Amino acid sequence: RLSCLISLGRVGVRRQCLMFARLISRPAPRSLFQRALYSSVQRPFIDGDVVEKSQLEELIKSNQGQFHLVDVREPHEVSVTGLITSAKNIPLGSVPDALATEDEAEFERKFKFERWDKDDLIIFYCRSGSRSERATQFARSVGFLNAKNYRGSSLEWFGC
């Protein structure tokens, strides 16, 4: 019956049928965290959202201020190259939990290092920059406005 209505060429009916077809072909909605982390629609980065290798090297060397370097790769990926100096590993799937954990003791128990404040500079990196971009966007969306992305990530840093 649906194909018959479309073939009749009635504009209003055709439009409704197409809208219905699009609606039923959509995947099931995800949770807020999943939509934020795995969204295929990404905003372009504005100045200041990205940290370059030279800037990160200078931060690490001079140890200026309070900053946190977070590797969002999976543990098996980290085991291949290791971590950048002073980095902590929190896989991308655990980033929402880490950012939502308010209690310092609980955070330290789960992640084995001190919890960061919303004002702290947090720099995310991964293998090629895609997952760290999602982590940065998510962190900013929940109030960590000093979250940055090291887009070069481990490919640039380790050269592999």
Side-chain angles (χ1 to χ4, degrees):
R1 179 166 172 107
L2 182 63
S3 61
C4 293
L5 291 174
I6 291 173
S7 67
L8 290 175
R10 295 186 199 154
V11 176
V13 172
R14 180 185 306 181
R15 188 173 297 135
Q16 287 177 347
C17 291
L18 291 174
M19 286 172 39
F20 178 73
R22 279 190 212 124
L23 181 66
I24 61 172
S25 66
R26 289 184 183 165
R30 300 181 195 181
S31 73
L32 175 65
F33 288 143
Q34 289 174 320
R35 283 188 298 226
L37 282 175
Y38 298 103
S39 173
S40 60
V41 178
Q42 300 189 7
R43 69 171 179 79
F45 271 82
I46 50 178
D47 289 341
D49 284 353
V50 177
V51 173
E52 299 298 328
K53 183 178 182 180
S54 59
Q55 295 170 312
L56 184 55
E57 287 172 327
E58 184 61 34
L59 267 175
I60 292 170
K61 188 187 322 177
S62 66
N63 202 11
Q64 293 176 339
Q66 180 71 8
F67 79 97
H68 304 278
L69 187 56
V70 181
D71 186 335
V72 296
R73 295 178 294 164
E74 294 298 320
H76 70 274
E77 295 175 279
V78 173
S79 68
V80 174
T81 60
L83 295 167
I84 295 175
T85 305
S86 78
K88 307 294 185 201
N89 179 241
I90 300 179
L92 181 63
S94 299
V95 168
D97 187 32
L99 296 176
T101 303
E102 296 286 333
D103 182 44
E104 286 185 40
E106 182 183 351
F107 183 92
E108 289 178 25
R109 183 181 53 74
K110 283 182 183 177
F111 300 104
K112 311 293 188 240
F113 59 91
E114 272 186 38
R115 185 185 179 284
W116 48 68
D117 294 323
K118 289 198 174 193
D119 299 352
D120 291 346
L121 172 60
I122 303 171
I123 302 170
F124 293 99
Y125 77 95
C126 60
R127 180 181 172 273
S128 61
S130 179
R131 287 174 283 179
S132 58
E133 185 172 333
R134 284 181 254 159
T136 302
Q137 289 175 0
F138 181 78
R140 287 174 158 256
S141 74
V142 295
F144 291 85
L145 301 180
N146 290 323
K148 311 267 186 219
N149 178 25
Y150 169 41
R151 192 178 289 163
S153 287
S154 68
L155 286 177
E156 180 180 60
W157 191 269
F158 297 110
C160 56

